[in-house]
Amino acid sequence: MDSVEVPFRTFDHLLTGFIRNEADDVAIYRVEGQSANPGDAFGNVFAWLWERDKDSAVAAFAGLLAEARKQSDEGDEVRLEELIKGLRLALHRSRLGQKDEFYEVERVLRDQVPEHFGGRTDL
């Protein structure tokens, strides 16, 4: 089966649950100060979203960061840069993981994710 149609509201619920689950792994398995790999499944979903609607991909990434920060120990929250570095690893099956393609992903995430956190720059 190549595709499944679901109502947008259902898709939103599925994506939200997926992000929460993936954030748990990000918070547990990250290498503090280095990278927080969101995993291949998130990489696949992110790449799919990016190709269809970059704003949705950015929102999913911001949601992952928010959930991973909530699930981290206080004062030791997952950082934006750690998650961006980890995302490149998670995108290894996608053209987005290639250096020249990932440059644009990094730029967009650094520029737009803080807007999802009220413009905070301390992420």
Side-chain angles (χ1 to χ4, degrees), residues 110-121:
R110 284 188 184 111
D111 182 53
Q112 294 182 13
V113 167
E115 295 171 15
H116 291 264
F117 292 84
R120 288 179 50 191
T121 58

Side-chain angles (χ1 to χ4, degrees), residues 28-115:
I28 292 171
Y29 298 113
R30 80 185 242 252
V31 179
E32 184 183 346
Q34 294 180 27
S35 69
N37 187 336
D40 289 357
F42 184 85
N44 292 340
V45 170
F46 180 88
W48 179 81
L49 286 169
W50 185 268
E51 295 300 325
R52 282 151 185 77
D53 179 8
K54 286 185 176 74
D55 290 339
S56 292
V58 171
F61 184 88
L64 181 70
L65 179 61
E67 287 296 322
R69 289 176 65 84
K70 282 183 199 173
Q71 295 180 33
S72 300
D73 294 331
E74 189 174 334
D76 187 30
E77 292 88 1
V78 173
R79 310 289 299 170
L80 174 62
E81 289 301 317
E82 292 173 335
L83 196 55
I84 288 174
K85 287 178 187 175
L87 179 62
R88 180 154 185 223
L89 299 172
L91 290 170
H92 69 93
R93 293 182 179 157
S94 165
R95 69 172 182 78
L96 296 178
Q98 298 170 5
K99 188 173 185 170
D100 58 327
E101 296 284 337
F102 193 70
Y103 175 78
E104 176 66 10
V105 173
E106 285 179 301
R107 186 192 66 71
V108 169
L109 292 176
R110 284 188 184 111
D111 182 53
Q112 294 182 13
V113 167
E115 295 171 15

